[in-house]
Each structure stands twice: as C-alpha cells, then as structure tokens.
Amino acid sequence: MATFIVLLGPPGAGKGTQAELLAENTKLAHISSGDLFRENLKNQTELGKLAKSYMDKGELVPDDVTINMIRDRLTRPDCEAGAILDGFPRTPTQADALEKMLSEFGSRVALVPYITASETVLVDRISGRWTCRAQGHIYHQIFSKPKQPGICDLDGSELYQRDDDKAETVTKRIRVYVDQTMPLIEYYRKVGKIIEVDGMQAVEKVTNILLSALKK
Ligand code: AMP
C-alpha cells in the first residue's frame, strides 16, 4: 500500500524542512499546499489570484479550492508510492476529504508526526526565514544561512522573504493555526496516528526520530 504521511504543527515548527528531508530519504513525493499556492501565484493563475487574497491576510484559502488542488496533485504519477503532505490538511473538512481521496486509491494516512515548538521560537524562525524563488528551499538568516547571501545553495535561485512571513502576519497565522488546525491533533490522536516530536531539537535529530518512526 502507498505510504501517506501528514505533517502537523504550527507555522515555523519545521514542517517544510522536515518534509524535504523525509522526501529525500524515503523517495516519497513532497506535497506542500503552500508551495502549490505560491506556484500558482507566480504563474498568475486564477487559483493563484484567489489564494493571494487569503494568504496576504494570513487566513486559510477556502476548503473546496484547496481540496481540489490537492486532489489534482495526488493523481500525478510521482504519488503512486505515497507522499509527505506538508500543510494539508489544515481543517477537519480537509482531513475528511483526504481520507476519502486516499480510500479511493485503496490507501490511508499511515502516520501523523506532530512537530511542536514554543511561540517565541516560531516567531523568530518565521521572521528570519528566507525562501528560494525556484523551488521553495528554506534558509534562516541566523540559524541556517546559505553559503552565498541571497542565493539558494541547491539551485542558485534568488532567496526572498515571503510576504506572509513578515511580523504583522505571523501572529495571525499562529492564531488561525490554533483555531482551525489544532483540532486535527485530536482527530488523528483518536485513531492512534499521532507521534509528537519536539521541533526545537536540532534538525537532524528531528529527522532521525521521524525516520525511525516511519520504519516501525
Ligand atoms: P504555508 O506555506 O503552509 O505556511 O502556507 C501559506 C499560506 O497558504 C497559508 O497561510 C494559507 O493562506 C495558504 N494555505 C496553505 N495550505 C493551506 C490549506 N491546507 N488550507 C488552506 N489554506 C492553505
């Protein structure tokens, strides 16, 4: 059966970084709903324009639009063996839809790592975060500097600060996470899928914990 992993945690907990590393180690596809919206935004699609109005305010894009985008992505051939889902689902409606989609493929969510961090750490991480324009690789101005300032080590593209990573929007995003996404922790805990990991440990340590949980 294909392996689908859902990464849960507040913005800045390290979901994107861990998803990249897990995908590299497991060869599963990495699906980031935020990256998909940003790609649409860059290409000025209708979906991108719609998403922008919500993203700029730090709010969630409506469920139906988000679910359709993920359904499309999950049907691509690189998801046949499964995927690491980063940023989706973010509401109980999305989680129900995911369960339904995966059951159509004869699959289900295997594991839900829940990555935690204190609010001060989240704000520090997000406000110092720089993202690569081409593929969304993540850096930090203090904790994880690129070799050359402003340039992605992996693909040489420009690094930029996401509009929604600016201080004003960050607190709002954390509030939205608490109100709309935190109920998913209980949703997945009830079915025994949650493993809680302290996201304030070193990046490699978190990856190793996640990889050994996946092997079990
Ligand atoms: P992220 O890159 O995961 O921090 O997402 C950036 C922004 O994209 C969020 O603040 C939302 O506006 C939007 N977004 C990403 N994933 C979702 C989702 N699953 N549901 C609704 N909106 C989302």
Side-chain angles (χ1 to χ4, degrees), residues 99-170:
E99 202 169 312
K100 233 168 107 198
M101 282 186 253
L102 296 186
S103 77
E104 284 163 20
F105 308 149
S107 194
R108 59 188 149 77
V109 171
L111 191 71
V112 183
Y114 165 39
I115 309 178
T116 60
S118 72
E119 186 158 342
T120 344
V121 167
L122 298 177
V123 174
D124 277 358
R125 280 185 182 169
I126 304 179
S127 46
R129 175 158 72 181
W130 289 82
T131 303
C132 123
R133 190 76 76 186
Q135 297 186 67
H137 299 123
I138 301 158
Y139 297 84
H140 189 280
Q141 63 191 23
I142 297 163
F143 311 129
S144 169
K145 292 184 187 174
K147 292 193 185 98
Q148 247 184 297
I151 308 282
C152 176
D153 294 349
L154 299 171
D155 59 32
S157 78
E158 179 204 12
L159 301 181
Y160 75 108
Q161 188 181 34
R162 285 168 42 180
D163 280 341
D164 63 344
D165 277 353
K166 293 181 178 148
E168 320 75 270
T169 326
V170 172

Side-chain angles (χ1 to χ4, degrees), residues 173-185:
R173 285 166 63 206
I174 295 176
R175 214 165 53 231
V176 167
Y177 164 79
V178 170
D179 290 345
Q180 303 194 51
T181 308
M182 274 187 84
L184 291 187
I185 297 163

Side-chain angles (χ1 to χ4, degrees), residues 15-205:
K15 296 189 299 298
T17 302
Q18 293 301 333
E20 252 175 50
L21 293 165
L22 288 181
E24 225 174 86
N25 276 283
T26 58
K27 306 292 172 217
L28 296 174
H30 170 196
I31 302 184
S32 154
S33 44
D35 282 353
L36 290 174
F37 283 130
R38 282 183 288 277
E39 221 174 276
N40 274 280
L41 226 145
K42 195 165 76 181
N43 297 331
Q44 306 223 332
T45 66
E46 284 308 309
L47 172 62
K49 286 179 208 158
L50 174 90
K52 182 174 165 43
S53 56
Y54 295 93
M55 292 169 84
D56 283 351
K57 288 185 276 183
E59 291 172 4
L60 295 185
V61 179
D63 282 336
D64 53 343
V65 185
T66 307
I67 291 165
N68 283 335
M69 175 180 78
I70 295 292
R71 178 178 290 117
D72 263 16
R73 179 65 188 86
L74 283 173
T75 53
R76 287 203 221 150
D78 66 333
C79 295
E80 257 166 39
I84 316 279
L85 295 169
D86 154 21
F88 181 90
R90 251 181 165 91
T91 65
T93 306
Q94 293 180 13
D96 285 340
L98 177 65
E99 202 169 312
K100 233 168 107 198
M101 282 186 253
L102 296 186
S103 77
E104 284 163 20
F105 308 149
S107 194
R108 59 188 149 77
V109 171
L111 191 71
V112 183
Y114 165 39
I115 309 178
T116 60
S118 72
E119 186 158 342
T120 344
V121 167
L122 298 177
V123 174
D124 277 358
R125 280 185 182 169
I126 304 179
S127 46
R129 175 158 72 181
W130 289 82
T131 303
C132 123
R133 190 76 76 186
Q135 297 186 67
H137 299 123
I138 301 158
Y139 297 84
H140 189 280
Q141 63 191 23
I142 297 163
F143 311 129
S144 169
K145 292 184 187 174
K147 292 193 185 98
Q148 247 184 297
I151 308 282
C152 176
D153 294 349
L154 299 171
D155 59 32
S157 78
E158 179 204 12
L159 301 181
Y160 75 108
Q161 188 181 34
R162 285 168 42 180
D163 280 341
D164 63 344
D165 277 353
K166 293 181 178 148
E168 320 75 270
T169 326
V170 172
T171 335
K172 172 72 184 289
R173 285 166 63 206
I174 295 176
R175 214 165 53 231
V176 167
Y177 164 79
V178 170
D179 290 345
Q180 303 194 51
T181 308
M182 274 187 84
L184 291 187
I185 297 163
E186 216 30 56
Y187 178 105
Y188 286 117
R189 206 190 293 281
K190 271 195 209 136
V191 287
K193 303 242 162 109
I194 288 273
I195 56 150
E196 196 167 324
V197 185
D198 176 1
M200 293 190 285
Q201 306 175 87
V203 172
E204 312 79 63
K205 195 156 177 206

